[in-house]
């Protein structure tokens, strides 16, 4: 099994009460078809939702596969 994506956070804090991970440093999320980076990251592990804030940059690397999936 290979992971679907990777998350790079130089430092982060997990609040054990809320189960929210926060990072105040530039973080990057990579998947086969995209890379997205932002200055801060907040991820709710219960709801599985995240928020990137500040100087966010997204690069799509495999647009053909994204368009194929949409067409189906």
């Amino acid at each position: 099994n290979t992971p679907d994506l990777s998350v790079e956070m130089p430092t982060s804090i997990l609040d054990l009460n809320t189960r929210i991970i926060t990072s105040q440093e530039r973080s990057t999320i990579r998947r086969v078809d995209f890379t997205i980076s932002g200055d801060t990251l907040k991820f709710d592990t219960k709801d599985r939702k995240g928020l990137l804030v500040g100087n966010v940059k997204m690069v799509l690397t495999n647009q053909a596969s994204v368009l194929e999936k949409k067409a189906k």
Side-chain angles (χ1 to χ4, degrees):
N1 290 337
T2 59
D4 291 335
L5 60 89
S6 68
V7 179
E8 298 168 13
M9 293 182 283
T11 58
S12 61
I13 297 172
L14 170 62
D15 184 321
L16 294 174
N17 296 318
T18 63
R19 306 295 296 168
I20 294 175
I21 300 170
T22 55
S23 176
Q24 298 301 319
E25 295 185 45
R26 188 145 184 90
S27 302
T28 302
I29 300 167
R30 296 180 199 278
R31 201 172 76 177
V32 147
D33 54 346
F34 73 84
T35 301
I36 187 167
S37 301
D39 290 338
T40 64
L41 173 67
K42 184 176 183 179
F43 183 75
D44 186 331
T45 60
K46 286 190 288 188
D47 294 337
R48 301 185 58 82
K49 295 181 182 176
L51 177 68
L52 275 169
V53 177
N55 196 26
V56 175
K57 180 180 178 183
M58 181 174 193
V59 177
L60 298 174
T61 54
N62 192 0
Q63 292 178 348
S65 73
V66 172
L67 294 174
E68 288 172 12
K69 287 179 187 176
K70 242 184 189 178
K72 291 181 180 181

